[in-house]
């Protein structure tokens, strides 16, 4: 059982994510409505993947991303991240690419999203370019 | 062929003889004569000037005059008219004498015949005319010779001088008679007249030029240039000597005369003021002095004229000192003085003076250049430079002028400030520091202007500068300076950043609800396949909420464009605050529920209605409540309205984060956001303020501090009682 932390301030998105993972009995969702809540979960629970929105109130998702890459204790955990934002690749050029990071643009297709999740969780090998 | 009528005066006291002559003249076939008869000499002579006879026939024995005397009187009175004398046979001696005394011919009465008379008259007329012509020509020739500037000597083969001109007498100091009694060897000393062959044998008909030496009456010698030629005249061998004085004295005299006239004309033409002072007295002034100073030549030269009276007081002392120096024989430098013209106007001059000899005495020659105009131009130039300097000094753009090696030549105030700021904050950017940068070298090579951007910190704040660098050329096209003009474009760059952020925010705000609706649609599709009613409802809810959000966002963006123009207020409208507040709470209900916030609306009936368009009121309420929701995690949002004086005071209070005190004044700025990454366009409160102001209301935001909640107070007009 893998645990996926969803960080989004929009309640509607959480409903969408629940629907997206509805058929995946191997994945358990942890919902955080703010960056503060997400940090709280990260501190006490084992998380295998983070799905992160960027434009959020009152604290931006970028802040959490910075924390994840800079904070020693969190960084060591090497938790893969999917940034899920309407900004997409174009709007997030400034974010450094890494094998633990995927960017997906909203709206996304369920199957494409799930494929990214599986790749990052190590369930499938990423296709070679 | 008869030509001109010849008029003849016949002066004869014997009527028989007179008639005879008349008859003879009438016989002529070829020539017509007009005869006017007189019995006495004097009445005839009186008529001559009036009737202009061609010839006179004169009998010597008349009533009023007798003998040769008659002829003499006639010739004296009328020398230009030919006279033919009539005589008796016995008077042959008198007849010959008559020819010597000026008569053209004589006729003996006893031998008189018509052809003889006619021929004699005709010849007399012809001869007289030739005689007159010859005399005229000789007169002209003599005149010419006399006026020649060369000395002329005509002498015979024995050296006796026979003819000379005026210049010959003048150059040697002899009188005409003295010279005519001398031989040429007394005068001309160059040629050895005793030992060498006679000149006649040497000279040719054509004039030859040789050097010679002449001796004056006083014994002094002077060199001459001689032109000699020979000719025969009535079997006489004559030599013509033309002598030109080539002595230096003559030359000097000539040169002096020329130079004097040259100096005078030059001086008169000169644009400078030229004067000569001798013994404290003005002895010469040129035209410029008269024109510039306003005094006439006579005034300058009068003995009562005091030169120092036309000197301005401040120049008198210096001029007197220099004048004294000259009197001691010293030279002085050119000095600037101020003179006063006759009208009392100041004339600025540069005066250079020099000692000179004038008419044998020491004098001071002064040359003044009028620099009044130049002075005025200089002053104007100074003023304009001052203006220019002031302009450059106060230019808000920093101006750096550097020499070819990159060292500062001129920095204006702003440039100095910049340098200080840059030094304090760290280092001076390369493009503004001394020495040559790569760009500088490129500019000097290409001789072209270049624009670069520089970023450096000024007291901890990042500033962006646009630096225009260009070379400054001199008249010959050589680069003498490098000029850098530094323009602060921080604001522009900030604005660009804001613009970029706005585009990103607006696109986010529009894309998000669309993305949500898209995903809700996908979700609904799957739910329908699975037949899960619960999920269908959920997706429908997501879609409807985002539709609402989309609606609101589009409205806000449209409002923003309206903001750019002018907002029009529709009069005679009214809306209920309570109704609008409830509607907003319902729309945003899911967010309120999510955060488990309390809401309360407290509005008495008396203040519920306000004269606002419902859409405008909704925008105000939605934006303020939406804002409150964003920054409130727990507690609640409360809406109240009270009558305060003549206004309705609407308050939206929350228990959220509050606003940092330094930001309170900025929240109504367009595009203000507490954090650039936050959602929203940053337009909400700005739009609210526009709307409220359009209704003559006011809006303010207060916060007790961070974490202590926020109160937005909106003052709106009261509903008119009518």
């Amino acid at each position: 059982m893998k645990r996926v932390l969803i960080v989004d301030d929009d309640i509607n998105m959480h409903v969408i994510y629940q629907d997206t993972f509805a058929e995946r009995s191997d994945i358990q969702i942890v919902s955080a409505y703010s960056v503060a809540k997400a940090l709280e979960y990260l501190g006490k629970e084992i998380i295998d993947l983070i799905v992160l929105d960027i434009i959020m109130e009152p604290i931006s998702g970028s802040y959490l991303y910075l924390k994840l890459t800079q904070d020693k204790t969190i960084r060591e955990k090497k938790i893969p991240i999917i940034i899920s934002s309407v900004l997409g690749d174009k709007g997030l050029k400034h974010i450094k690419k890494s094998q633990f990071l995927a960017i997906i643009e909203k709206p996304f297709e369920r199957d494409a999203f799930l494929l990214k999740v599986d790749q990052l969780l190590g369930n499938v090998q990423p296709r070679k370019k | 062929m008869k030509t001109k009528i010849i008029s003849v005066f016949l002066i004869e006291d014997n009527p028989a003889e007179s008639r005879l002559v008349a008859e003879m003249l009438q016989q002529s076939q070829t020539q017509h004569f007009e005869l006017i008869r007189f019995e006495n000499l004097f009445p005839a002579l009186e008529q001559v000037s009036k009737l202009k006879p061609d010839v006179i026939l004169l009998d010597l024995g008349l009533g009023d005059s007798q003998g040769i005397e008659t002829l003499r009187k006639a010739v004296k009175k009328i020398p230009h008219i030919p006279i033919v004398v009539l005589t008796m046979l016995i008077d042959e001696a008198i007849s010959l004498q008559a020819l010597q005394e000026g008569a053209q011919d004589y006729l003996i009465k006893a031998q008189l015949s018509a052809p003889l008379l006619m021929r004699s008259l005709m010849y007399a007329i012809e001869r007289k005319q030739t005689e007159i012509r010859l005399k005229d020509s000789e007169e002209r020739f003599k005149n010419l010779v006399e006026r020649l500037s060369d000395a002329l000597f005509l002498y015979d083969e024995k050296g006796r001088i026979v003819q000379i001109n005026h210049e010959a007498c003048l150059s040697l100091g002899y009188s005409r008679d003295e010279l005519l009694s001398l031989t040429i060897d007394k005068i001309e000393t160059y040629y050895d007249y005793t030992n060498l062959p006679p000149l006649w044998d040497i000279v040719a008909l054509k004039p030859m030029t040789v050097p010679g030496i002449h001796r004056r009456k006083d014994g002094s010698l002077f060199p001459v240039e001689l032109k000699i030629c020979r000719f025969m005249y009535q079997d006489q061998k004559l030599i013509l000597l033309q002598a030109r004085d080539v002595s230096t004295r003559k030359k000097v005299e000539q040169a002096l005369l020329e130079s004097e006239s040259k100096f005078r004309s030059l001086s008169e033409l000169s644009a400078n003021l030229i004067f000569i002072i001798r013994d404290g007295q003005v002895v010469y002034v040129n035209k410029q002095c008269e024109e510039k100073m306003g005094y006439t030549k006579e005034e300058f030269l009068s003995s009562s004229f005091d030169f120092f009276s036309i000197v301005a007081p401040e120049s008198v002392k210096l001029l007197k000192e220099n004048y004294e120096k000259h009197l001691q024989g010293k030279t002085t430098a050119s000095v600037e003085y101020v003179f006063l013209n006759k009208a009392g106007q100041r004339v600025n001059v540069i005066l250079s003076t020099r000692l000179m000899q004038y008419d044998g005495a020491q004098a001071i020659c002064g040359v003044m250049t009028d620099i009044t105009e130049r002075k005025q131009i200089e002053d104007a130039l100074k003023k304009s430079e001052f203006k220019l300097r002031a302009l450059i000094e106060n230019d808000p753009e920093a101006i750096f002028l550097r020499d070819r090696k990159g060292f500062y030549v001129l920095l204006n105030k702003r440039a100095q400030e910049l340098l200080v700021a840059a030094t304090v904050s760290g280092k001076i950017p390369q493009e503004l520091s001394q020495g040559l940068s790569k760009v500088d070298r490129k500019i000097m090579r290409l001789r072209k202007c270049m624009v670069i951007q520089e970023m450096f910190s000024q007291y901890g704040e990042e500033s962006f500068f646009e630096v225009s660098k260009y070379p400054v050329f001199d008249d010959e096209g050589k680069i003498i300076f490098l000029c850098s003009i530094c323009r602060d474009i921080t604001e522009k760059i900030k604005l660009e950043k804001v613009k970029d952020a706005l585009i990103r925010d607006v696109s986010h705000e529009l894309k998000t609800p669309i993305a949500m609706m898209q995903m809700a649609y996908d979700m609904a599709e799957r739910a329908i396949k699975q037949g899960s009613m619960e999920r269908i409802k959920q997706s429908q809810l997501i879609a409807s909420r985002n539709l609402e959000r989309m609606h609101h966002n589009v409205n806000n963006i449209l409002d923003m464009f309206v903001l750019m123009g002018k907002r029009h207020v529709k009069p005679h409208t009214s809306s209920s605050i309570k109704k609008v507040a409830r509607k907003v709470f319902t729309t945003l209900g899911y967010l309120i529920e999510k955060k488990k916030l309390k809401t309360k609306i407290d509005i008495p009936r008396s203040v519920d209605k306000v004269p606002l368009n419902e859409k405008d009121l909704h925008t105000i309420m939605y934006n303020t409540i939406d804002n409150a929701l964003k920054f409130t995690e727990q507690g609640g949002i409360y809406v109240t309205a009270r009558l305060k004086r003549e206004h309705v005071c609407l308050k939206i209070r929350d228990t959220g984060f509050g606003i940092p005190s330094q930001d309170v004044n900025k929240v109504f700025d367009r595009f203000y956001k507490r954090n650039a990454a936050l959602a929203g366009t940053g337009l909400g409160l700005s739009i609210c303020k526009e709307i409220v102001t359009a209704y003559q209301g006011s809006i303010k935001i207060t916060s007790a501090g961070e974490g202590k909640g926020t109160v937005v107070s909106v003052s709106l007009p009261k509903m008119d009682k009518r």
Side-chain angles (χ1 to χ4, degrees):
Chain A
M1 179 74 78
K2 301 278 184 181
R3 291 167 66 86
V4 176
L5 175 64
I6 310 272
V7 190
D8 201 311
D9 65 343
D10 192 335
I11 189 165
N12 299 300
M13 264 325 284
H14 287 275
V15 178
I16 303 275
Y17 285 123
Q18 274 162 22
D19 179 61
T20 307
F21 290 113
E23 288 161 25
R24 294 293 293 265
S25 50
D26 60 325
I27 288 171
Q28 190 191 344
I29 293 173
V30 181
S31 289
Y33 290 90
S34 69
V35 171
K37 262 280 182 285
L39 282 167
E40 201 182 310
Y41 288 135
L42 282 166
K44 63 186 182 191
E45 288 180 36
I46 296 158
I47 300 294
D48 300 297
L49 176 73
I50 303 169
V51 176
L52 178 64
D53 186 22
I54 291 294
I55 297 176
M56 279 191 291
E57 310 274 2
I59 299 167
S60 161
S62 307
Y63 175 76
L64 181 62
Y65 181 74
L66 275 175
K67 270 269 183 211
L68 292 173
T69 51
Q70 286 174 357
D71 190 297
K72 257 190 183 173
T73 52
I74 303 173
R75 198 173 56 193
E76 276 169 7
K77 294 177 185 168
K78 288 186 180 165
I79 306 169
I81 303 163
I82 293 177
I83 290 177
S84 165
S85 167
V86 286
L87 301 175
D89 272 325
K90 268 190 211 163
L92 297 166
K93 275 178 191 159
H94 56 285
I95 290 178
K96 236 168 81 186
K97 304 281 174 294
S98 90
Q99 57 177 110
F100 300 109
L101 177 71
I103 293 173
I104 199 151
E105 186 176 341
K106 284 189 221 168
F108 51 76
E109 279 182 13
R110 186 182 65 165
D111 296 343
F113 180 78
L114 287 176
L115 179 65
K116 276 268 186 300
V117 170
D118 285 333
Q119 280 171 0
L120 287 169
L121 286 173
N123 296 342
V124 289
Q125 288 300 311
R127 266 176 289 172
K128 277 174 188 168
K129 282 174 192 174
Chain B
M1 187 183 79
K2 288 200 173 183
T3 53
K4 196 190 156 204
I5 298 169
I6 293 172
S7 104
V8 181
F9 270 25
L10 174 62
I11 307 167
E12 171 66 79
D13 58 351
N14 186 332
E17 305 248 345
S18 173
R19 202 164 47 245
L20 182 70
V21 169
E23 279 169 12
M24 281 181 183
L25 290 179
Q26 277 168 5
Q27 287 171 22
S28 165
Q29 300 292 314
T30 54
Q31 185 66 52
H32 184 73
F33 293 93
E34 180 193 43
L35 189 70
I36 302 158
R37 288 191 264 184
F38 295 91
E39 288 187 355
N40 284 305
L41 177 67
F42 293 105
L45 291 181
E46 276 166 23
Q47 292 296 313
V48 166
S49 61
K50 197 172 150 197
L51 299 172
K52 294 188 172 107
D54 294 305
V55 63
I56 292 171
L57 262 174
L58 180 65
D59 183 10
L60 294 180
L62 294 170
D64 55 353
S65 180
Q66 290 292 318
I68 198 74
E69 272 306 306
T70 311
L71 178 66
R72 282 184 186 149
K73 283 171 189 161
V75 169
K76 196 178 176 191
K77 188 82 190 267
I78 43 167
H80 54 289
I81 310 247
I83 298 169
V84 175
V85 175
L86 290 170
T87 61
M88 298 298 173
L89 183 67
I90 44 169
D91 290 340
E92 200 158 344
I94 290 178
S95 302
L96 285 172
Q97 198 185 350
L99 290 181
Q100 285 172 3
E101 295 283 347
Q104 296 297 329
D105 200 2
Y106 67 91
L107 293 169
I108 298 161
K109 286 182 182 172
Q111 298 168 356
L112 206 57
S113 69
L116 186 67
L117 176 63
M118 237 176 309
R119 198 170 62 238
S120 176
L121 287 177
M122 294 306 284
Y123 276 130
I125 292 167
E126 204 55 47
R127 243 191 335 263
K128 189 67 185 178
Q129 277 171 1
T130 310
E131 197 179 279
I132 289 169
R133 274 202 296 274
L134 207 71
K135 218 173 175 179
D136 278 357
S137 150
E138 197 188 322
E139 200 63 37
R140 276 202 296 271
F141 180 71
K142 208 173 168 190
N143 244 318
L144 200 76
V145 168
E146 283 304 315
R147 278 155 205 250
L148 266 180
S149 62
D150 292 342
L152 280 184
F153 304 87
L154 193 64
Y155 55 94
D156 62 18
E157 59 179 328
K158 286 178 178 149
R160 285 183 301 224
I161 297 170
V162 293
Q163 193 66 261
I164 46 149
N165 70 347
H166 181 66
E167 181 61 27
C169 305
L170 212 65
S171 69
L172 299 172
Y174 288 103
S175 72
R176 185 172 285 265
D177 291 339
E178 282 172 333
L179 263 182
L180 286 174
S181 68
L182 294 173
T183 50
I184 194 70
D185 56 320
K186 293 283 185 298
I187 299 156
E188 216 283 298
T189 62
Y190 187 76
Y191 188 79
D192 189 344
Y193 289 89
T194 44
N195 297 325
L196 292 171
L199 256 181
W200 178 263
D201 296 341
I202 301 166
V203 298
L205 276 170
K206 223 173 130 192
M208 54 185 267
T209 305
V210 293
I213 294 169
H214 275 195
R215 180 189 288 124
R216 292 194 188 85
K217 192 184 177 183
D218 61 12
S220 62
L221 301 171
F222 65 98
V224 285
E225 188 185 89
L226 299 174
K227 275 195 177 120
I228 308 170
C229 64
R230 66 174 202 190
F231 58 94
M232 294 289 290
Y233 179 71
Q234 294 175 341
D235 292 335
Q236 212 181 355
K237 289 176 177 174
L238 289 175
I239 293 175
L240 179 65
L241 192 75
Q242 189 184 343
R244 176 170 297 170
D245 189 340
V246 290
S247 66
T248 41
R249 200 182 93 182
K250 182 100 179 179
K251 266 191 198 160
V252 166
E253 271 169 18
Q254 203 75 33
L256 212 67
L257 219 72
E258 272 174 30
S259 91
E260 164 92 4
S261 89
K262 263 186 209 160
F263 162 74
R264 275 193 188 264
S265 53
L266 252 173
S267 164
E268 291 304 320
L269 283 173
S270 169
N272 289 326
L273 290 76
I274 300 170
F275 60 88
I276 297 169
I277 294 179
R278 193 182 56 193
D279 299 332
Q281 182 76 45
V282 178
V283 290
Y284 171 80
V285 286
N286 71 348
K287 217 172 185 164
Q288 281 293 321
C289 288
E290 291 182 286
E291 281 175 11
K292 287 267 161 67
M293 301 308 293
Y295 295 93
T296 63
K297 203 160 248 180
E298 287 71 36
E299 284 173 307
F300 273 119
L301 301 185
S302 92
S303 58
S304 61
F305 186 83
D306 177 12
F307 186 74
F308 286 99
S309 71
I310 60 164
V311 182
E314 69 262 37
S315 292
V316 169
K317 196 182 159 220
L318 187 62
L319 191 65
K320 276 195 170 156
E321 277 172 22
N322 283 329
Y323 185 71
E324 288 300 319
K325 271 189 198 169
H326 270 311
L327 291 185
Q328 291 161 21
K330 291 176 188 163
T331 56
T332 59
S334 300
V335 184
E336 221 179 292
Y337 296 107
V338 182
F339 280 73
L340 299 171
N341 67 10
K342 201 173 184 182
Q345 290 160 328
R346 297 164 66 83
V347 182
N348 294 78
V349 297
I350 288 176
L351 170 61
S352 50
T353 50
R354 182 157 292 197
L355 277 171
M356 67 176 285
Q357 291 291 315
Y358 190 83
D359 286 352
Q362 200 164 65
I364 296 167
C365 174
V367 178
M368 296 200 284
T369 309
D370 184 356
I371 55 162
T372 312
E373 247 171 68
R374 198 200 298 168
K375 260 270 198 277
Q376 281 165 358
I377 290 168
E378 255 172 39
D379 281 353
L381 217 67
K382 263 185 202 161
K383 263 185 208 160
S384 105
E385 197 199 310
F386 184 76
K387 273 185 215 156
L388 221 69
R389 261 191 173 276
L391 220 78
I392 290 169
E393 253 326 279
N394 297 314
D395 198 314
E397 294 173 3
I399 298 171
F400 297 79
L401 201 63
R402 295 174 305 147
D403 63 16
R404 286 176 61 86
K405 284 177 180 164
F407 291 104
Y408 296 141
V409 176
L410 186 144
L411 304 173
N412 73 349
K413 218 156 81 190
R414 181 79 187 105
Q416 288 168 19
E417 284 170 10
L418 259 187
L419 281 187
V420 170
T423 316
V424 169
S425 311
K427 69 177 182 98
I428 298 167
Q430 196 196 0
E431 292 303 336
L432 299 180
S433 56
Q434 303 212 71
L436 295 178
S437 69
K438 256 189 194 167
V439 179
D440 292 330
R441 284 179 221 282
K442 198 166 174 187
I443 285 164
M444 287 171 82
R445 202 171 60 242
L446 299 177
R447 304 163 68 80
K448 269 200 323 202
C449 174
M450 285 182 80
V451 180
I452 46 165
Q453 285 202 1
E454 271 278 355
M455 191 272 281
F456 67 98
S457 78
Q458 271 195 103
Y459 305 112
E461 264 191 51
E462 271 184 355
S463 301
F464 296 88
F465 290 92
E466 192 178 79
V467 185
S468 310
K469 295 191 144 201
Y470 56 87
V472 179
F473 303 103
D474 66 3
D475 290 345
E476 287 158 13
K478 207 178 125 196
I479 295 172
I480 41 172
F481 296 124
L482 289 167
C483 185
S484 307
I485 295 180
C486 198
R487 190 174 299 124
D488 191 337
I489 53 161
T490 315
E491 281 304 312
K492 196 174 131 197
I493 294 231
K494 270 187 189 163
L495 217 71
E496 265 168 23
K497 277 186 177 170
V498 167
K499 195 186 87 190
D500 288 349
L502 178 71
I503 288 166
R504 200 194 60 187
D505 292 342
V506 167
S507 63
H508 177 261
E509 287 303 287
L510 293 176
K511 272 171 155 181
T512 305
I514 291 169
M516 297 302 288
M517 284 188 276
Q518 172 75 51
M519 289 189 289
Y521 177 79
D522 290 347
M523 184 176 157
E525 221 171 22
R526 286 194 295 273
I528 288 164
K529 272 183 200 160
Q530 292 159 0
S532 164
M533 204 56 196
E534 190 199 357
R535 290 216 175 266
I536 292 170
K537 272 184 189 166
Q538 274 180 336
S539 59
Q540 189 215 5
L541 194 61
I542 293 168
S544 78
R545 282 170 186 163
N546 282 286
L547 202 63
E548 177 63 32
R549 189 171 169 189
M550 186 72 186
H551 178 70
H552 169 72
N553 285 345
V554 168
N555 269 350
N556 255 5
I557 288 157
L558 287 178
D559 268 337
M560 179 182 73
F561 287 115
V562 174
L563 279 184
M564 310 281 184
K566 200 175 154 64
R567 181 171 286 276
H568 294 283
V569 174
K570 276 187 199 161
H572 313 303
T573 54
S574 83
S575 316
S576 159
I577 302 173
K578 200 180 263 178
K579 186 181 153 198
V580 173
R582 277 194 192 133
K583 195 178 167 190
V584 174
F585 275 138
T586 312
T587 311
L588 299 170
Y590 68 102
L591 292 170
I592 296 161
E593 275 168 36
K594 188 187 82 182
K595 293 185 178 177
K596 297 186 180 68
L597 299 176
K598 284 179 209 150
T599 61
K600 195 179 172 189
I601 300 169
D602 173 14
I603 296 163
R605 264 186 91 82
S606 58
V607 293
D608 185 38
K609 294 270 183 187
V610 282
L612 263 71
N613 183 311
E614 191 173 308
K615 189 180 153 285
D616 289 337
L617 185 62
H618 184 265
T619 307
I620 295 168
M621 298 294 281
Y622 189 101
N623 279 324
T624 49
I625 292 169
D626 190 42
N627 257 336
L629 260 169
K630 277 180 191 165
F631 300 105
T632 308
E633 289 300 311
Q634 52 196 2
I637 296 166
Y638 310 98
V639 179
T640 62
R642 292 287 181 273
L643 193 66
K644 201 173 180 184
R645 290 193 195 115
E646 292 301 300
H647 287 86
V648 174
C649 182
L650 172 66
K651 282 187 177 168
I652 297 99
R653 185 169 66 84
D654 67 50
T655 55
F657 300 112
I659 299 167
S661 55
Q662 70 266 24
D663 283 3
V664 167
N665 294 323
K666 292 192 204 160
V667 291
F668 293 107
D669 288 353
R670 214 176 283 179
F671 313 128
Y672 164 78
K673 292 203 303 184
R674 276 189 58 191
N675 181 333
L678 293 181
T681 52
L683 285 167
L685 283 175
S686 172
I687 290 168
C688 288
K689 189 176 183 180
E690 284 288 327
I691 295 171
V692 170
T693 308
Y695 284 101
Q696 271 94 45
S698 65
I699 186 167
K700 65 175 183 178
I701 193 158
T702 51
S703 174
E706 282 198 80
K708 292 180 181 169
T710 307
V711 180
V712 178
S713 307
V714 186
S715 174
L716 293 171
K718 201 175 68 156
M719 208 50 196
D720 206 324
K721 270 173 191 169
R722 278 171 301 171

